[in-house]
Amino acid sequence: MFEEAQYFAPVAMQEDGSVVVELAANHPGVADPVYRERRNAIAALALNHIPGEPIPEAAYTEQEHEVWGLVSRELAIKHRKYAAGEYLEGCRRLGLPEDRIPQLQEVGDLLEPLTGFRYLPAAGLVPLRDFYGVLEDGLFHSTQYIRHHSVPFYTPEPDVIHEVVGHANALASDRFAALYRLAGAAARRVETDEALEFVSKVFWFTMEFGVLTEDGEDRAYGAGILSSYGEIEEFRGMDILPLDLSLMGTTTYDITKYQDVLFRAASMSHLEDVVGTFWATCDDDTIARMVADGGAGRSRAGAK
């Protein structure tokens, strides 16, 4: 329900050096001064982090650990029913704790010997080229805060449950980790903003909201589906189309609601062949041709 690296509460540095996270008027935690102060403190940890040094620990409360435990246990039940086998294998390999929020440093320490990935703390918005580009280096920008306790199964923005339960379990898979790295290489290779947006949309419809066929059933592998208690129950009822790079890269979507258009790979190997090859080879010229093809495809569909 949110665009990775784009849909974050704005973070502002005040003249006195303090950090303020500007929550929207309808945010569940906007009227909770304790939560807002913790959000400010956690954002400051990320802003003050020096790359290459250990990630500062967020001092989570017992209530926040309880939110993690409740949501992660419920998601694990749904994963057994709806998640792709490769993602479940990543869950097994990574072994995230269910009773407490793991620190980002800890997540990186678990991931690095498996696939070489580590985490970087993000206070809020990360420019698209930076967010995607560092994936090639085995780095993943992540928030540290957790959703408000009043609505544990909802978040209007990507929190640590999304970043870790959704993405880290996938990054523990060699095959998914390779796709993330290829996406990062593509983001660095392309030069225009239009081409970068195309690359990011393909990422959105795959690593965020991707579906593949397994044993005759649609199973999710996208982090946005697998970290959403509600969306994981609804995705099979959406309009699920075959993989189509031109259409994926030119389709608009609404980040504020469940995704009603998804794309299905016939298998994990099919995903690697189509999307992996695209990210490994794309450039501005090939993407410009795909944009034209995608527009033509939508026009033909509208004429039917």
Side-chain angles (χ1 to χ4, degrees), residues 38-62:
R38 290 190 49 67
R39 285 292 300 268
N40 295 342
I42 290 174
L45 290 179
L47 288 177
N48 294 323
H49 175 249
I50 299 173
E53 293 192 357
I55 299 173
E57 289 195 2
Y60 298 114
T61 67
E62 195 59 39

Side-chain angles (χ1 to χ4, degrees), residues 4 8 20 25 74 79 131 195 203 207 220 222 246 248 275 282 291 301:
E4 194 70 66
F8 290 88
V20 175
E74 290 297 322
H79 290 164
F131 176 84
F203 189 95
M207 312 317 296
S246 295
M248 293 160 72
V275 177
C282 67
V291 169

Side-chain angles (χ1 to χ4, degrees), residues 6 48-49 62 94 115 149-150 165 201 215 218 220 222 224 272 294:
Q6 293 181 7
N48 294 323
H49 175 249
E62 195 59 39
L94 190 58
T115 62
H149 62 85
S150 63
V165 174
K201 283 186 172 183
D215 300 325
D218 287 329
E272 293 166 322

Side-chain angles (χ1 to χ4, degrees), residues 14-208:
Q14 305 300 297
E15 290 185 1
D16 62 0
S18 62
V19 175
V20 175
V21 179
E22 300 172 8
L23 301 183
N26 61 349
H27 191 286
V30 69
D32 183 341
V34 175
Y35 180 78
R36 298 199 68 167
E37 184 59 33
R38 290 190 49 67
R39 285 292 300 268
N40 295 342
I42 290 174
L45 290 179
L47 288 177
N48 294 323
H49 175 249
I50 299 173
E53 293 192 357
I55 299 173
E57 289 195 2
Y60 298 114
T61 67
E62 195 59 39
Q63 190 174 54
E64 288 172 325
H65 285 303
E66 289 173 0
V67 170
W68 169 276
L70 172 63
V71 178
S72 63
R73 286 191 297 271
E74 290 297 322
L75 285 175
I77 294 170
K78 294 180 183 294
H79 290 164
R80 290 192 286 272
K81 181 177 180 181
Y82 295 113
E86 188 66 24
Y87 173 87
L88 293 174
E89 175 62 13
C91 294
R92 185 196 65 76
R93 297 180 77 191
L94 190 58
L96 291 172
E98 282 193 354
D99 59 341
R100 61 178 177 82
I101 307 169
Q103 297 290 331
L104 291 189
Q105 182 69 35
E106 176 186 359
V107 176
D109 290 343
L110 292 171
L111 273 176
E112 190 169 39
L114 298 176
T115 62
F117 264 86
R118 297 203 69 91
Y119 270 49
L120 290 174
L125 181 73
V126 178
L128 275 186
R129 199 171 295 275
D130 294 338
F131 176 84
Y132 289 109
V134 298
L135 294 175
E136 184 180 19
D137 302 325
L139 296 171
F140 188 89
H141 285 285
S142 172
T143 56
Q144 288 175 278
Y145 54 82
I146 194 165
R147 61 199 61 185
H148 194 260
H149 62 85
S150 63
V151 281
F153 294 113
Y154 166 76
T155 177
E157 57 198 335
D159 70 342
V160 71
I161 291 176
H162 170 74
E163 310 280 40
V164 175
V165 174
H167 283 291
N169 283 319
L171 290 170
S173 152
D174 292 317
R175 298 174 77 177
F176 281 132
L179 287 171
Y180 278 76
R181 287 181 183 271
L182 289 172
R188 284 179 169 170
R189 187 184 315 115
V190 299
E191 298 179 0
T192 67
D193 291 341
E194 293 76 14
L196 178 61
E197 182 181 8
F198 190 102
V199 168
S200 74
K201 283 186 172 183
V202 173
F203 189 95
W204 173 263
F205 285 114
T206 55
M207 312 317 296
E208 288 290 353

Side-chain angles (χ1 to χ4, degrees), residues 228-241:
S228 171
Y229 181 83
E231 197 145 9
I232 197 171
E233 288 283 357
E234 301 292 336
F235 80 92
R236 286 180 175 174
M238 302 306 178
D239 185 12
I240 305 180
L241 308 176

